[in-house]
Amino acid sequence: MSKPDNAGVKIPPPLCFLAFLAVGILLDSAWIDSRLSSNYLTILGGVIAVLSAIYLFVAARKHNTAGSNVEPWKPTTTIISDGAYKYSRNPIYLAMAVLYAGIAIAAGSWLAVILLPFCLVVIRYYVIAREEAYLEDKFGKEYLDYKARVRRWL
């Protein structure tokens, strides 16, 4: 039996971020009380969220232009090492984390902000670890060289 040509990720990363964010917002936020957070937090969080959403879109689009899949449960066809991938091996997860933080700030949910590191631990050990093992196995030295040059997050 041959190994599947994917990282074997069991948790869709956007759903992981969304689950932690939803718990934080539902248990502690201005939004759950049907009101906005302070103007300052709403604007700050909104700007952070919009900028990170743009960065997320650009990083995800890079997969399409490179002819690879963005979904971690589909085969990776190439190592992308330019654009955002020149500075981070995981710019999409980085953008998702910053987007999460922006939404949590805009919602005035300090619980969601506190939960973000726990979400990142899940992403790191249950998503990124599987992806890195898969990429090392599939691309060997090419990926190991890339991994040595570029940090995981920033």
Side-chain angles (χ1 to χ4, degrees):
M1 179 182 244
S2 65
K3 291 171 67 175
D5 187 12
N6 63 58
V9 172
K10 305 284 188 231
I11 304 165
L15 292 182
C16 182
F17 282 102
L18 185 59
F20 276 89
L21 181 61
V23 167
I25 288 175
L26 289 172
L27 294 177
D28 169 52
S29 74
W31 294 355
I32 201 66
D33 296 329
S34 298
R35 60 183 175 82
L36 292 176
S37 187
S38 72
N39 288 343
Y40 174 75
L41 291 179
T42 299
I43 292 168
L44 176 64
V47 168
I48 291 170
V50 167
L51 292 176
S52 61
I54 292 167
Y55 184 77
L56 174 61
F57 175 78
V58 169
R61 185 154 165 71
K62 187 69 177 166
H63 281 261
N64 292 335
T65 59
S68 192
N69 295 301
V70 70
E71 302 91 348
W73 50 88
K74 292 184 178 177
T76 299
T77 59
T78 187
I79 301 297
I80 302 169
S81 59
D82 61 338
Y85 290 87
K86 187 175 181 178
Y87 307 103
S88 171
R89 294 195 314 261
N90 297 287
I92 293 174
Y93 300 145
L94 179 62
M96 285 182 190
V98 176
L99 176 61
Y100 172 118
I103 294 170
I105 291 167
S109 177
W110 300 115
L111 179 58
V113 172
I114 290 168
L115 290 175
L116 179 57
F118 296 98
C119 178
L120 293 175
V121 166
V122 172
I123 293 294
R124 164 61 182 94
Y125 290 101
Y126 293 97
V127 177
I128 293 173
R130 288 176 180 264
E131 290 179 343
E132 288 182 344
Y134 163 69
L135 294 171
E136 285 178 19
D137 187 48
K138 182 168 183 169
F139 295 101
K141 183 170 175 13
E142 180 186 2
Y143 182 70
L144 291 172
D145 290 347
Y146 172 66
K147 192 174 169 184
R149 280 191 325 271
V150 180
R151 292 175 178 237
R152 180 176 288 129
W153 295 102
L154 274 183

